[in-house]
Amino acid sequence: MAVVGVLALQGSYNEHMAALRRIGVRGVEVRKPEQLQGLDSLIIPGGESTTMAKLANYHNLFPALREFVGAGKPVWGTCAGLIFLANKAVGQKSGGQELIGGLDCTVHRNFFGSQLQSFETELSVPMLAEKEGGNNTCRGVFIRAPAILDVGSDVEVLADCPVPADRPSITISSGEGVEEEVYSKDTVIVAVKQGNILATAFHPELTSDSRWHRFFLDMDKESHTKAFSALSLSSSSRDVQDGSKNRMANNCGHYYRHLKM
Amino acid sequence: MASDGTGVVTVYGSGTNNGAALLEPSAHKSATFSVKVGLAQMLRGGVIMDVVTPEQARIAEEAGACAVMALERVPADIRAQGGVARMSDPGLIRDIKRAVTIPVMAKARIGHFVEAQILEAIGVDYVDESEVLTLADDAHHINKHNFRVPFVCGCRDLGEALRRIREGAAMIRTKGEAGTGNVVEAVRHVRSVMGDVRALRNMDDDEVFSYAKRIAAPYDLVMQTKQLGRLPVVQFAAGGVATPADAALMMQLGCDGVFVGSGIFKSGDPARRARAIVQAVTHYSDPKILAEVSSGLGEAMVGINLSDPKIHVERFAARSE
């Protein structure tokens, strides 16, 4: 079975570990570069991005993380994790922080404003429902959340969110701060996938909805299509474990897909 | 103890299982209790440091603190100088807020909801309704549901923790004994909460009614704690943590993170000690790294022996119930 690493420097890593446990997958806490060895995929959780970057620097984790992403192994960043994975981050107060990169997009670090503007909302996620079952929406918890301003051509947009009316207007300084444009669209991107990189601006790990974790693990499987027989075994055993949660009824498409594999 | 699979708060849900009591489902909603709890969850595995100047705040941020507590005086000085301790100058808190990107907390007196309103108005990220300041109301705490800003409150045992959560606290810390550099009270309080939760988990459902009455806590929160196997909000250690080993001890006892008050800026080499404590909290179960970061830190804060019969030490923890 796939071994999923969870970067455990600071933040909501325990919540990710618990979400993995709920769907019967073993998670491994990662705090040092050598602990990335032997992992099939990695989750970078939410937390204080400044703090996480400092801690990653103490242990010289950035080169190892870049190598991991570069090797094409599945990586999922939530909130602060999304910022780490972005090729470009704007909206930083001063100095800036080191990024891992790999995801062709521009992230605004504090798009939704301050602490007090944190919110929860229902997001429309037809793609997630199609792949993992359940209804067409999921609960998005946005905690001092970033948002994705624009994406490259290889990036698939999985979800966007209406821009809240009470959000303070932000100015995006593009380039070297010479020309400035104001973000004026009604919606903003909050979940994307590019190859084996998944990124969400919100926190699925803070909800009891496990579909994003399943979706991420299925990415892992798709990237291992060669180890074909072992995979269909593990995925079917997983579905049996989850059977009690009345997923089966509304979820035939998902189950069937595994059978076809 | 911390890693047995119970160390998780999930108060959100799609209307399924846990946390139903606290769930307020709707379209776009900010400042719900679950959002406030989520905010505090982002601090997990982190260290929150007391600072009295913007310079100290920058040292703390540079060392990897996940938040700072902006104060006029650290608890050790409040203890030494006596008198009435109140909310800090909002101007100072603003200056500290401008100096860092990490969240900034500030203390309000217990029951002093106007101090809390002022702190909310200047945009602090969390309010600590703290027994370290002099009480403003000796019977009532602030009704924290009236605020958009999340609150953190102290506790000594499970009943006290759940009373604060019912009043709207989105984060709990042990009271410990602030400004002493002595971890014994914090250990007592965290052991008390964890022990109570363990006993509660094994309790028959029929016994929970009378147990809730005994610890003077709301039944629904007691039941939720039983189901989660932990407090329904993030729980930090505070009050007497002075060394990396103290911090790691609190983590191994099952806390989600650590407040360090006087311990850092009352020591010989604050920047170094701050960084060492941050690393100790991340690597709390790795004695080799703990040994490494504990080496050559210079002098720790002096500390107070709480069981010394020759001195009288006021117990801040006993100021409120």
Side-chain angles (χ1 to χ4, degrees):
Chain A
M1 180 186 279
V3 183
V4 184
V6 180
L7 193 66
L9 296 171
Q10 193 267 323
S12 57
Y13 58 86
N14 268 311
E15 284 74 7
H16 273 295
M17 296 290 285
L20 292 172
R21 216 163 22 237
R22 274 204 306 273
I23 56 173
V25 173
R26 191 163 76 92
V28 177
E29 295 182 4
V30 175
R31 296 187 168 87
K32 301 184 214 169
E34 59 268 28
Q35 290 168 330
L36 287 167
Q37 305 284 326
L39 296 180
D40 299 299
S41 56
L42 179 71
I43 297 176
I44 305 176
E48 291 307 320
S49 57
T50 317
T51 305
M52 284 168 65
K54 292 267 186 295
L55 283 160
N57 259 328
Y58 285 168
H59 294 278
N60 204 20
L61 261 164
F62 277 108
L65 287 170
R66 281 195 198 101
E67 196 183 319
F68 195 92
V69 175
K73 294 186 179 175
V75 180
W76 174 19
T78 58
C79 195
L82 157 66
I83 299 173
F84 278 117
L85 289 172
N87 280 345
K88 190 178 169 211
V90 297
Q92 320 199 44
K93 262 192 191 165
S94 64
Q97 97 191 29
E98 196 167 351
L99 303 174
I100 298 166
L103 182 62
D104 185 12
C105 70
T106 304
V107 167
H108 192 288
R109 274 174 55 126
N110 253 327
F111 183 83
F112 292 104
S114 73
Q115 180 101 319
L116 296 182
Q117 267 115 20
S118 297
F119 64 97
E120 52 185 326
T121 191
E122 293 293 330
L123 293 172
S124 171
V125 284
M127 177 285 318
L128 185 70
E130 184 199 318
K131 280 207 146 185
E132 306 295 334
N135 50 23
N136 272 335
T137 59
C138 77
R139 179 133 286 247
V141 183
F142 291 80
I143 306 284
R144 298 208 296 162
I148 300 162
L149 302 179
D150 59 65
V151 295
S153 53
D154 292 342
V155 180
E156 186 187 344
V157 175
L158 302 181
D160 47 24
C161 169
V163 175
D166 62 344
R167 188 184 65 86
S169 68
I170 55 158
T171 323
I172 306 142
S173 51
S174 53
E176 308 312 313
V178 188
E179 51 175 310
E180 297 201 330
E181 53 175 312
V182 176
Y183 192 84
S184 56
K185 285 182 232 166
D186 295 342
T187 60
V188 66
I189 302 167
V190 292
V192 295
K193 178 176 178 296
Q194 177 192 350
N196 267 338
I197 302 178
L198 175 67
T200 54
F202 49 94
H203 293 273
E205 78 278 14
L206 298 186
T207 71
S208 56
D209 185 346
S210 307
R211 286 179 298 166
W212 284 100
H213 286 83
R214 286 204 191 90
F215 179 78
F216 177 63
L217 289 163
D218 288 343
M219 278 170 52
D220 188 16
K221 285 197 196 75
E222 280 157 21
S223 78
H224 283 78
T225 37
K226 281 174 201 150
F228 170 76
S229 54
L231 287 173
S232 56
L233 201 73
S234 68
S235 62
S236 60
S237 69
R238 208 189 68 208
D239 274 349
V240 170
Q241 281 177 357
D242 286 343
S244 59
K245 285 197 170 180
N246 73 24
R247 281 182 58 237
M248 295 300 228
N250 56 9
N251 206 15
C252 291
H254 169 62
Y255 191 56
Y256 191 49
R257 192 165 56 81
H258 284 302
L259 289 182
K260 275 194 296 196
M261 279 173 70
Chain B
M1 260 184 240
S3 57
D4 61 0
T6 59
V8 171
V9 193
T10 311
V11 293
Y12 306 99
S14 316
T16 46
N17 44 12
N18 53 30
L22 295 170
L23 203 67
E24 303 155 65
S26 82
H28 188 95
K29 255 201 165 181
S30 62
T32 59
F33 185 69
S34 50
V35 166
K36 291 182 194 169
V37 173
L39 281 164
Q41 272 174 286
M42 291 307 121
L43 300 175
R44 287 187 72 161
V47 181
I48 300 163
M49 302 181 191
D50 282 5
V51 298
V52 299
T53 64
E55 291 70 41
Q56 288 188 355
R58 270 191 287 266
I59 291 172
E61 182 181 43
E62 193 53 40
C66 69
V68 292
M69 177 77 72
L71 295 167
E72 268 167 352
R73 295 181 286 169
V74 294
D77 291 335
I78 290 174
R79 210 173 259 291
Q81 293 164 12
V84 174
R86 311 180 180 91
M87 173 186 80
S88 300
D89 180 349
L92 169 79
I93 297 168
R94 270 210 199 98
D95 288 345
I96 289 176
K97 214 173 147 36
R98 269 196 288 269
V100 293
T101 64
I102 54 177
V104 175
M105 302 187 173
K107 287 188 198 290
R109 280 180 270 176
I110 288 176
H112 205 315
F113 49 83
V114 174
E115 283 188 350
Q117 288 164 5
I118 292 169
L119 293 174
E120 182 175 63
I122 62 170
V124 301
D125 297 303
Y126 300 81
V127 173
D128 182 1
E129 186 181 18
S130 178
E131 72 284 355
V132 173
L133 305 184
T134 311
L135 294 191
D137 186 330
D138 58 6
H140 307 98
H141 281 69
I142 297 171
N143 179 354
K144 294 165 273 283
H145 292 294
N146 289 341
F147 291 80
R148 293 170 59 81
V149 64
F151 276 71
V152 52
C153 285
C155 77
R156 289 165 297 174
D157 52 42
L158 181 60
E160 199 173 3
L162 296 180
R163 287 194 292 280
R164 295 296 89 77
I165 294 169
R166 175 43 77 231
E167 292 158 5
M171 179 175 180
I172 289 293
R173 57 173 171 76
T174 61
K175 283 179 166 176
E177 205 46 72
T180 61
N182 188 338
V183 83
V184 64
E185 291 297 312
V187 169
R188 190 204 311 282
H189 299 157
V190 71
R191 283 235 183 244
S192 167
V193 173
M194 298 296 174
D196 289 350
V197 171
R198 276 191 292 274
L200 177 60
R201 285 188 84 182
N202 291 317
M203 205 173 281
D204 189 281
D205 281 3
D206 296 2
E207 294 162 1
V208 176
F209 298 99
S210 122
Y211 180 73
K213 198 166 89 182
R214 183 148 51 86
I215 65 170
Y219 170 77
D220 59 332
L221 287 178
V222 176
M223 207 55 201
Q224 195 191 2
T225 304
K226 177 171 164 59
Q227 280 158 6
L228 289 172
R230 60 157 295 149
L231 289 182
V233 303
V234 166
Q235 182 192 9
F236 270 51
V241 175
T243 68
D246 289 350
L249 172 67
M250 302 316 292
M251 294 299 287
Q252 288 199 25
L253 285 170
C255 290
D256 296 319
V258 175
F259 284 84
V260 189
S262 324
I264 289 174
F265 291 100
K266 285 279 162 194
S267 74
D269 187 346
R272 196 137 175 226
R273 183 166 294 267
R275 186 174 150 165
I277 291 178
V278 168
Q279 296 206 65
V281 168
T282 301
H283 301 280
Y284 66 89
S285 53
D286 188 335
K288 273 190 192 145
I289 292 190
L290 294 177
E292 200 181 300
V293 301
S294 300
S295 307
L297 291 183
E299 224 157 296
M301 72 178 283
V302 177
I304 300 169
N305 182 352
L306 290 166
S307 51
D308 186 341
K310 293 192 290 296
I311 51 169
H312 171 75
V313 184
E314 192 201 345
R315 301 299 172 107
F316 290 168
R319 285 173 163 180
S320 67
E321 291 292 320

